[in-house]
Amino acid sequence: MNSVANKLLSPILLIAGAAMVIISLIMDFAGSGSSLRGPMLVIGILVFFAGLYLFPTQKHHRKIVYVIFLFPLLFTFAVTVIIPLVLGICYSFTDWTGIRFNSVVGLTNYMTMFKDPAFIWSILITFIFVVLNMVLINLVGFLLALLCTSGIKGGGFFRASYFLPNLIGGIVLGYIWQFVFNNVIIDMTDNISWLARSKTALFAIVVVYIWQYAGYIMLIYITGLTQIPGDVLEAAKIDGANPAQTLFKVKIPMIASTITICTFLTLTSAFKQFDVNMALTNGAGSVANFMGNYLSNGTQMLALNIYNTAISKNNYALGQAKAVFFFIILAVVSLIQVRVSNKKEVEL
Amino acid sequence: MKKKVFAIMLAAATVCATLSACAGTAAPAAPAADASTEAAAPAETPEGGIRLVNNKVEVDEGLKKLAKAYEEKTGVPVVIESLGGGIDTQATLKGYYQADNMPDIFVFEGDIHYPTWEGLLADLSDEAWVNDTEAEYVRDGKVYGFPTTTEAIGLAYNADILAKAGVDPKSITGPESMRKAFETIDAKKDELGLTSVLGYYTESSQLWWSPGQHVFGTYFDSGLARDDTTYIDLFKDGGKLDMDRATPWSEMVALFNEYTDPAGVSGTYDAQVLGFASGKYAFVTQGSWIGATLMNDDKEAYDAAGHFEIGMIPYAFIEGQDTILTNSPNWWGVYKDGNVEEAKKFLAWCAADDGGQEILAKDCGFISPYASNTHAPDDPFAKTIAEYTAAGTTSSWHWLSMKAGIGQNATGVVFQDYAMGNFPDAKTFLDTLQQVCTNYYAN
């Protein structure tokens, strides 16, 4: 009885659902302003899945349930990540203006981008920034973690206050520090703000970024350090190891996996640096001679360069091409990260 | 059993989250008043009414008053949506276009933005107000933009200080007289209570637009007729500068560097205007828009400094240049697929003397570009601009046609570099500027 009803109901629901989805999509692409198309799409999808769920099969029932459960996430992932990514790559081969494109230009955008000394400069300083940050943030974070776990009085207070800058947004932080550099410590710097010269401005960004990010890395190191078994440390103490030996021979090897994690965290986040850069210098700064050119974007890192190309230079297609290049760099870094972390886990 | 219930609840929660994300566009938008300040949720066009996107948050209140007055008179609701405070208006508008949520009237900055909206702007050539102004945006013989206000670029001065120093602003007609005036004031700096003769700020991360576009812009137009496009045409051809004209201009920049406050290389707009308002600078390299700042934010300092009279002299880098640069800084365009008829009626009412002009002048501080207008804002620059306009000694703002983003991404920094003393002379500065512009056009 039940199965007969299902046999009838299932195809009806499937067809009705599919029809609703298709009609609403057609309405959307045809530019219909009807406010029904949204709810119709959603109801269509639900009806379709109801039909799928009731589909009279024993063999594939489990698989159908998996698909239904996966669908919301897959759908969201596709809408927010996959479709924009594919569209973005497509746009990078056109002369897209943010409104429309008139022609497909092939690799022109990619050629233009590597011919522009300003962009090469941005790549260069991004790499310098990443290396500097990776080393310094880990160093500072680790030292702060040692300090906070050393049993110092008020350790909890220090831990909280070092972490606090991480809770302030990068833009706000950037403007606060801009004020500091331009008004407070300007007397110490010959009345010319650190932010006015490219070299010192880059250094200023590094300082601010460490200030923001070291507390976060510190927390991860603290977790690592507190997870070292007490008996190992006790054994080292009994064997007469001094604090330096304990640190280098016991503690650091024991938290090797934490170090890997922190290294890659700082690496990827430094690559994507945008907000502090934007608020602090907005990319401005002079470079007297780079590849025979005078540059005006002395402190402009990759992410900001992409943003300014699209928004301020109003060249969306070129910005998109740069973003694709940026995506490739980040993808390579992330893949290496996964590889290395996997290896480390096996070793442990 | 328990597990199953939990799983269903989780699934339901996920579905709900997905649904609400999808339904977001269909849901009714937040009330317009919130949307304008928050700017996160775009406003929606009211039924049968119009929606206007404005990029000056400082006149948001005034425009809302204007909208209310219009609705009371005609019954057509007008929603004002003000984007600003770090938001790039044009980028947001592009998003609106992609999301099919275009306003009926939106702001754009002339030639830089026209290519983006080409084919999407309604032709306003037949409107009555076109005959009442010279500041409308014309492209290919058709009118696409409604001018809202007049802004002027000139060297603003503190009339009290000049009078005390015995300098007649009218005597400054060229580079020599400008230098002489600066020297005279500089000699009496201490007794006049000045920090420096001039507040010429070149900080390049936020204030790039002042040197990089406005001071630079005087090269294109100072002393020329409103329709003279000689130098901008040359510039648009690969960023070329005419050295015969640019050399004296660069010497004027050198003069500014000599007499400016060194704090200008890392100062903010606020500091610059406040310095002028409190009588620390005799001149300031900002235009008429600082009038609003003087009357509001810096009112206290301005009053304390004696509420001095303000005038403007031309950036005269060649003897005899007698014009200041006036223009509508941006225009309101009508979206051709929007409510064009109502939008046109609204604009007509705004331009008409018995309509919105009074509110635009009194509440927004707009200096009307319409000849028939009789309302003047309570602005210290209104008088000067009116005088120059009446005398016919105004030039246009052709720098608006420079390649998009050039001030921020290229020229601004060069001025700062020069102000910091990184170039030995004006010629090196000019050569560098030329190179930067050529590169900017090439890439």
Side-chain angles (χ1 to χ4, degrees), chain B residues 43-60:
Chain B
E44 278 202 353
T45 312
E47 204 68 38
I50 45 182
R51 170 167 148 238
L52 186 153
V53 164
N54 152 53
N55 68 343
K56 286 178 180 278
V57 260
E58 62 271 25
V59 299
D60 182 57

PDB file of all heavy atoms in Angstrom, chain B residues 43-60:
ATOM      1  N   ALA B  43      19.290  50.243   0.199  1.00  0.00           N
ATOM      2  CA  ALA B  43      17.893  50.639   0.259  1.00  0.00           C
ATOM      3  C   ALA B  43      17.177  50.151  -0.987  1.00  0.00           C
ATOM      4  O   ALA B  43      17.806  49.839  -1.996  1.00  0.00           O
ATOM      5  CB  ALA B  43      17.802  52.151   0.357  1.00  0.00           C
ATOM      6  N   GLU B  44      15.885  50.060  -0.904  1.00  0.00           N
ATOM      7  CA  GLU B  44      15.133  49.680  -2.087  1.00  0.00           C
ATOM      8  C   GLU B  44      14.308  50.859  -2.559  1.00  0.00           C
ATOM      9  O   GLU B  44      13.896  51.705  -1.781  1.00  0.00           O
ATOM     10  CB  GLU B  44      14.248  48.469  -1.780  1.00  0.00           C
ATOM     11  CG  GLU B  44      15.042  47.193  -1.869  1.00  0.00           C
ATOM     12  CD  GLU B  44      14.172  45.972  -2.113  1.00  0.00           C
ATOM     13  OE1 GLU B  44      12.936  46.100  -2.085  1.00  0.00           O
ATOM     14  OE2 GLU B  44      14.747  44.898  -2.324  1.00  0.00           O
ATOM     15  N   THR B  45      14.078  50.874  -3.852  1.00  0.00           N
ATOM     16  CA  THR B  45      13.297  51.953  -4.422  1.00  0.00           C
ATOM     17  C   THR B  45      11.860  51.844  -3.960  1.00  0.00           C
ATOM     18  O   THR B  45      11.262  50.783  -4.068  1.00  0.00           O
ATOM     19  CB  THR B  45      13.333  51.863  -5.954  1.00  0.00           C
ATOM     20  OG1 THR B  45      14.688  51.694  -6.342  1.00  0.00           O
ATOM     21  CG2 THR B  45      12.744  53.089  -6.583  1.00  0.00           C
ATOM     22  N   PRO B  46      11.331  52.930  -3.415  1.00  0.00           N
ATOM     23  CA  PRO B  46       9.932  52.869  -2.987  1.00  0.00           C
ATOM     24  C   PRO B  46       9.007  52.750  -4.202  1.00  0.00           C
ATOM     25  O   PRO B  46       9.366  53.171  -5.298  1.00  0.00           O
ATOM     26  CB  PRO B  46       9.730  54.190  -2.259  1.00  0.00           C
ATOM     27  CG  PRO B  46      10.787  55.096  -2.800  1.00  0.00           C
ATOM     28  CD  PRO B  46      11.941  54.237  -3.174  1.00  0.00           C
ATOM     29  N   GLU B  47       7.868  52.179  -3.983  1.00  0.00           N
ATOM     30  CA  GLU B  47       6.882  52.003  -5.052  1.00  0.00           C
ATOM     31  C   GLU B  47       6.539  53.347  -5.686  1.00  0.00           C
ATOM     32  O   GLU B  47       6.114  54.269  -5.008  1.00  0.00           O
ATOM     33  CB  GLU B  47       5.617  51.370  -4.458  1.00  0.00           C
ATOM     34  CG  GLU B  47       4.755  50.623  -5.456  1.00  0.00           C
ATOM     35  CD  GLU B  47       5.452  49.367  -5.974  1.00  0.00           C
ATOM     36  OE1 GLU B  47       6.136  48.681  -5.186  1.00  0.00           O
ATOM     37  OE2 GLU B  47       5.299  49.088  -7.171  1.00  0.00           O
ATOM     38  N   GLY B  48       6.769  53.457  -6.995  1.00  0.00           N
ATOM     39  CA  GLY B  48       6.424  54.683  -7.708  1.00  0.00           C
ATOM     40  C   GLY B  48       7.320  55.860  -7.385  1.00  0.00           C
ATOM     41  O   GLY B  48       7.135  56.944  -7.907  1.00  0.00           O
ATOM     42  N   GLY B  49       8.277  55.680  -6.512  1.00  0.00           N
ATOM     43  CA  GLY B  49       9.155  56.776  -6.129  1.00  0.00           C
ATOM     44  C   GLY B  49      10.529  56.617  -6.737  1.00  0.00           C
ATOM     45  O   GLY B  49      10.728  55.860  -7.677  1.00  0.00           O
ATOM     46  N   ILE B  50      11.466  57.368  -6.200  1.00  0.00           N
ATOM     47  CA  ILE B  50      12.820  57.282  -6.717  1.00  0.00           C
ATOM     48  C   ILE B  50      13.821  57.135  -5.580  1.00  0.00           C
ATOM     49  O   ILE B  50      13.551  57.517  -4.449  1.00  0.00           O
ATOM     50  CB  ILE B  50      13.193  58.522  -7.565  1.00  0.00           C
ATOM     51  CG1 ILE B  50      12.753  59.784  -6.854  1.00  0.00           C
ATOM     52  CG2 ILE B  50      12.629  58.429  -8.949  1.00  0.00           C
ATOM     53  CD1 ILE B  50      13.038  61.027  -7.635  1.00  0.00           C
ATOM     54  N   ARG B  51      14.963  56.591  -5.928  1.00  0.00           N
ATOM     55  CA  ARG B  51      16.022  56.401  -4.952  1.00  0.00           C
ATOM     56  C   ARG B  51      17.285  57.070  -5.496  1.00  0.00           C
ATOM     57  O   ARG B  51      17.597  56.945  -6.676  1.00  0.00           O
ATOM     58  CB  ARG B  51      16.245  54.913  -4.757  1.00  0.00           C
ATOM     59  CG  ARG B  51      17.455  54.545  -3.969  1.00  0.00           C
ATOM     60  CD  ARG B  51      17.380  53.075  -3.586  1.00  0.00           C
ATOM     61  NE  ARG B  51      18.702  52.497  -3.524  1.00  0.00           N
ATOM     62  CZ  ARG B  51      19.097  51.463  -4.233  1.00  0.00           C
ATOM     63  NH1 ARG B  51      18.271  50.885  -5.078  1.00  0.00           N
ATOM     64  NH2 ARG B  51      20.319  50.986  -4.111  1.00  0.00           N
ATOM     65  N   LEU B  52      17.953  57.787  -4.623  1.00  0.00           N
ATOM     66  CA  LEU B  52      19.123  58.549  -5.050  1.00  0.00           C
ATOM     67  C   LEU B  52      20.346  58.106  -4.255  1.00  0.00           C
ATOM     68  O   LEU B  52      20.295  58.042  -3.031  1.00  0.00           O
ATOM     69  CB  LEU B  52      18.850  60.041  -4.836  1.00  0.00           C
ATOM     70  CG  LEU B  52      19.876  61.053  -5.335  1.00  0.00           C
ATOM     71  CD1 LEU B  52      19.168  62.362  -5.641  1.00  0.00           C
ATOM     72  CD2 LEU B  52      20.984  61.315  -4.353  1.00  0.00           C
ATOM     73  N   VAL B  53      21.416  57.758  -4.942  1.00  0.00           N
ATOM     74  CA  VAL B  53      22.648  57.414  -4.251  1.00  0.00           C
ATOM     75  C   VAL B  53      23.592  58.605  -4.287  1.00  0.00           C
ATOM     76  O   VAL B  53      23.919  59.123  -5.347  1.00  0.00           O
ATOM     77  CB  VAL B  53      23.313  56.167  -4.865  1.00  0.00           C
ATOM     78  CG1 VAL B  53      24.751  56.049  -4.408  1.00  0.00           C
ATOM     79  CG2 VAL B  53      22.549  54.923  -4.476  1.00  0.00           C
ATOM     80  N   ASN B  54      23.983  59.024  -3.105  1.00  0.00           N
ATOM     81  CA  ASN B  54      24.800  60.217  -2.932  1.00  0.00           C
ATOM     82  C   ASN B  54      26.127  59.773  -2.330  1.00  0.00           C
ATOM     83  O   ASN B  54      26.178  58.788  -1.611  1.00  0.00           O
ATOM     84  CB  ASN B  54      24.012  61.154  -1.995  1.00  0.00           C
ATOM     85  CG  ASN B  54      24.891  62.062  -1.197  1.00  0.00           C
ATOM     86  OD1 ASN B  54      25.732  62.760  -1.721  1.00  0.00           O
ATOM     87  ND2 ASN B  54      24.707  62.046   0.121  1.00  0.00           N
ATOM     88  N   ASN B  55      27.208  60.467  -2.613  1.00  0.00           N
ATOM     89  CA  ASN B  55      28.494  60.048  -2.041  1.00  0.00           C
ATOM     90  C   ASN B  55      29.065  61.042  -1.034  1.00  0.00           C
ATOM     91  O   ASN B  55      30.207  60.943  -0.648  1.00  0.00           O
ATOM     92  CB  ASN B  55      29.518  59.780  -3.146  1.00  0.00           C
ATOM     93  CG  ASN B  55      29.925  61.043  -3.863  1.00  0.00           C
ATOM     94  OD1 ASN B  55      29.252  62.057  -3.762  1.00  0.00           O
ATOM     95  ND2 ASN B  55      31.018  60.996  -4.589  1.00  0.00           N
ATOM     96  N   LYS B  56      28.252  62.009  -0.648  1.00  0.00           N
ATOM     97  CA  LYS B  56      28.735  62.954   0.366  1.00  0.00           C
ATOM     98  C   LYS B  56      27.920  62.737   1.637  1.00  0.00           C
ATOM     99  O   LYS B  56      26.816  63.244   1.763  1.00  0.00           O
ATOM    100  CB  LYS B  56      28.554  64.392  -0.118  1.00  0.00           C
ATOM    101  CG  LYS B  56      29.539  64.813  -1.194  1.00  0.00           C
ATOM    102  CD  LYS B  56      29.225  66.239  -1.629  1.00  0.00           C
ATOM    103  CE  LYS B  56      30.168  66.710  -2.705  1.00  0.00           C
ATOM    104  NZ  LYS B  56      31.449  67.187  -2.205  1.00  0.00           N
ATOM    105  N   VAL B  57      28.501  61.998   2.583  1.00  0.00           N
ATOM    106  CA  VAL B  57      27.766  61.728   3.822  1.00  0.00           C
ATOM    107  C   VAL B  57      27.462  63.008   4.579  1.00  0.00           C
ATOM    108  O   VAL B  57      26.482  63.088   5.305  1.00  0.00           O
ATOM    109  CB  VAL B  57      28.529  60.785   4.769  1.00  0.00           C
ATOM    110  CG1 VAL B  57      28.002  59.396   4.662  1.00  0.00           C
ATOM    111  CG2 VAL B  57      30.008  60.843   4.540  1.00  0.00           C
ATOM    112  N   GLU B  58      28.324  64.019   4.389  1.00  0.00           N
ATOM    113  CA  GLU B  58      28.140  65.242   5.151  1.00  0.00           C
ATOM    114  C   GLU B  58      26.861  65.982   4.766  1.00  0.00           C
ATOM    115  O   GLU B  58      26.363  66.781   5.544  1.00  0.00           O
ATOM    116  CB  GLU B  58      29.367  66.156   5.026  1.00  0.00           C
ATOM    117  CG  GLU B  58      29.687  66.642   3.624  1.00  0.00           C
ATOM    118  CD  GLU B  58      30.611  65.702   2.857  1.00  0.00           C
ATOM    119  OE1 GLU B  58      30.631  64.506   3.172  1.00  0.00           O
ATOM    120  OE2 GLU B  58      31.297  66.181   1.935  1.00  0.00           O
ATOM    121  N   VAL B  59      26.310  65.718   3.572  1.00  0.00           N
ATOM    122  CA  VAL B  59      25.077  66.406   3.198  1.00  0.00           C
ATOM    123  C   VAL B  59      23.868  65.469   3.278  1.00  0.00           C
ATOM    124  O   VAL B  59      22.785  65.797   2.808  1.00  0.00           O
ATOM    125  CB  VAL B  59      25.155  67.028   1.789  1.00  0.00           C
ATOM    126  CG1 VAL B  59      26.273  68.048   1.732  1.00  0.00           C
ATOM    127  CG2 VAL B  59      25.349  65.977   0.718  1.00  0.00           C
ATOM    128  N   ASP B  60      24.084  64.311   3.883  1.00  0.00           N
ATOM    129  CA  ASP B  60      23.013  63.324   3.984  1.00  0.00           C
ATOM    130  C   ASP B  60      21.739  63.902   4.594  1.00  0.00           C
ATOM    131  O   ASP B  60      20.646  63.754   4.062  1.00  0.00           O
ATOM    132  CB  ASP B  60      23.517  62.137   4.810  1.00  0.00           C
ATOM    133  CG  ASP B  60      22.481  61.041   4.930  1.00  0.00           C
ATOM    134  OD1 ASP B  60      22.040  60.553   3.874  1.00  0.00           O
ATOM    135  OD2 ASP B  60      22.106  60.691   6.062  1.00  0.00           O
TER     136      ASP B  60
END
